[in-house]
């Protein structure tokens, strides 16, 4: 092979190697810069409740009637994340419970039923006193509803009992009977005694329906 040809081959190989190294390191550096930019990005996320778990129950009293649509917790969140500088949308997510169909506790056979209900996905408890004329057979109904069911102007008065809030419903027989949340995803029907000198009332029904699993879907922009 002539000297000139050898030089051309060596130069060609050198240029090929140099091109490969340039491409490799530039690609790697670009990936590193992108990763650093992503991991170093400050952002703010807004969580908005778009569905609530509500409870219907009359407690154990036959002359109270069914108290309805009392929220005990969030069933679905919409998450919106935006860059702290400039406000560009970075990602959105939806967090929801494993089912959004009505779940019913029936004291007659002490079971929970509902379309898509899987007991492994929930932490739950139900307690209710049952009499022969308890409304709806004492069934407790858990529903999944829009936050529009909330009534921020709700007020109730029975003698010395004064009630206000958007997560409580009350009804009178001889005393006040109120269904309200207790703790996270818990609830009770509280029956006040007519004698306010007494240090106790009566809880005729109570329960808990807490999600132990969340389904998450989202989009990265």
């Amino acid at each position: 092979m002539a000297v000139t040809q050898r030089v051309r081959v060596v130069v060609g190989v050198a240029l090929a190697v140099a091109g490969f190294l340039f491409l490799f390191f530039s690609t790697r550096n670009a990936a590193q810069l992108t990763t650093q930019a992503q991991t170093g990005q400050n952002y703010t996320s807004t969580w908005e409740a778009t569905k609530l778990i509500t409870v219907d129950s009359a407690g154990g009293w036959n002359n109270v009637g069914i108290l309805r649509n009392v929220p005990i917790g969030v069933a679905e969140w919409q998450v919106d994340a935006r860059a702290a500088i400039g406000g560009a949308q970075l990602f959105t997510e939806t967090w929801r419970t494993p089912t959004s169909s009505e779940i019913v506790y029936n004291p007659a056979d002490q079971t929970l039923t509902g379309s898509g209900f899987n007991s492994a996905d929930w932490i739950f408890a139900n307690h209710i006193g049952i009499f022969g004329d308890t409304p709806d057979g004492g069934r407790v109904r858990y529903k999944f509803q829009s936050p529009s069911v909330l009534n921020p102007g709700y007020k109730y008065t029975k003698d010395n009992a004064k009630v206000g809030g958007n997560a409580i419903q009350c009804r009178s027989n001889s005393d006040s009977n109120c269904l309200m949340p207790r703790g996270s995803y818990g609830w009770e029907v509280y029956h006040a005694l007519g004698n306010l000198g007494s240090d106790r009332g009566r809880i005729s029904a109570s329960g808990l329906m807490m999600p132990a699993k969340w389904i998450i879907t989202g989009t990265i922009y």
Side-chain angles (χ1 to χ4, degrees):
M1 181 182 294
V3 174
T4 304
Q5 290 179 324
R6 289 201 200 96
V7 172
R8 288 175 180 170
V9 171
V10 171
V11 172
V13 171
L15 289 174
V17 171
F20 170 77
L21 292 175
F22 174 78
L23 178 62
F24 172 77
F25 284 110
S26 62
T27 302
R28 187 182 67 174
N29 290 339
Q32 289 176 339
L33 289 173
T34 301
T35 301
Q36 290 169 355
Q38 289 175 342
T39 57
Q41 175 71 65
N42 294 324
Y43 69 91
T44 300
S45 62
T46 302
W47 292 59
E48 181 178 2
T50 49
K51 279 190 179 179
L52 305 175
I53 302 178
T54 66
V55 178
D56 295 355
S57 175
W61 307 107
N62 69 316
N63 56 354
V64 171
I66 300 173
L67 301 159
R68 303 181 188 277
N69 302 326
V70 173
I72 60 173
V74 177
E76 182 179 279
W77 295 99
Q78 294 289 338
V79 183
D80 180 14
R82 295 180 178 269
I85 299 175
Q89 192 170 43
L90 301 178
F91 65 87
T92 58
E93 289 181 341
T94 299
W95 291 56
R96 62 177 179 82
T97 53
T99 182
S100 58
S101 299
E102 182 178 281
I103 301 170
V104 180
Y105 174 72
N106 187 354
D109 55 12
Q110 296 168 271
T111 60
L112 278 163
T113 58
S115 176
F117 175 74
N118 182 348
S119 61
D121 296 338
W122 299 85
I123 300 169
F124 56 90
N126 290 279
H127 153 267
I128 187 167
I130 295 297
F131 307 96
D133 51 4
T134 302
D136 198 21
R139 290 176 179 82
V140 178
R141 300 183 182 273
Y142 298 94
K143 299 177 181 178
F144 299 79
Q145 301 193 67
S146 162
S148 62
V149 300
L150 297 175
N151 179 8
Y154 180 78
K155 296 178 182 179
Y156 165 85
T157 300
K158 172 63 177 175
D159 300 330
N160 297 97
K162 308 294 182 183
V163 174
N166 65 358
I168 187 169
Q169 289 287 323
C170 301
R171 193 161 292 156
S172 301
N173 50 19
S174 57
D175 290 298
S176 62
N177 299 267
C178 298
L179 196 167
M180 70 192 90
R182 287 302 301 266
S184 180
Y185 293 92
W187 61 276
E188 70 179 24
V189 177
Y190 180 82
H191 171 77
L193 297 179
N195 177 11
L196 290 180
S198 174
D199 61 358
R200 59 188 175 87
R202 299 172 183 169
I203 299 174
S204 64
S206 59
L208 172 75
M209 185 57 69
M210 177 184 290
K213 178 180 179 181
W214 290 90
I215 308 298
I216 305 169
T217 57
T219 301
I220 299 174
Y221 296 94

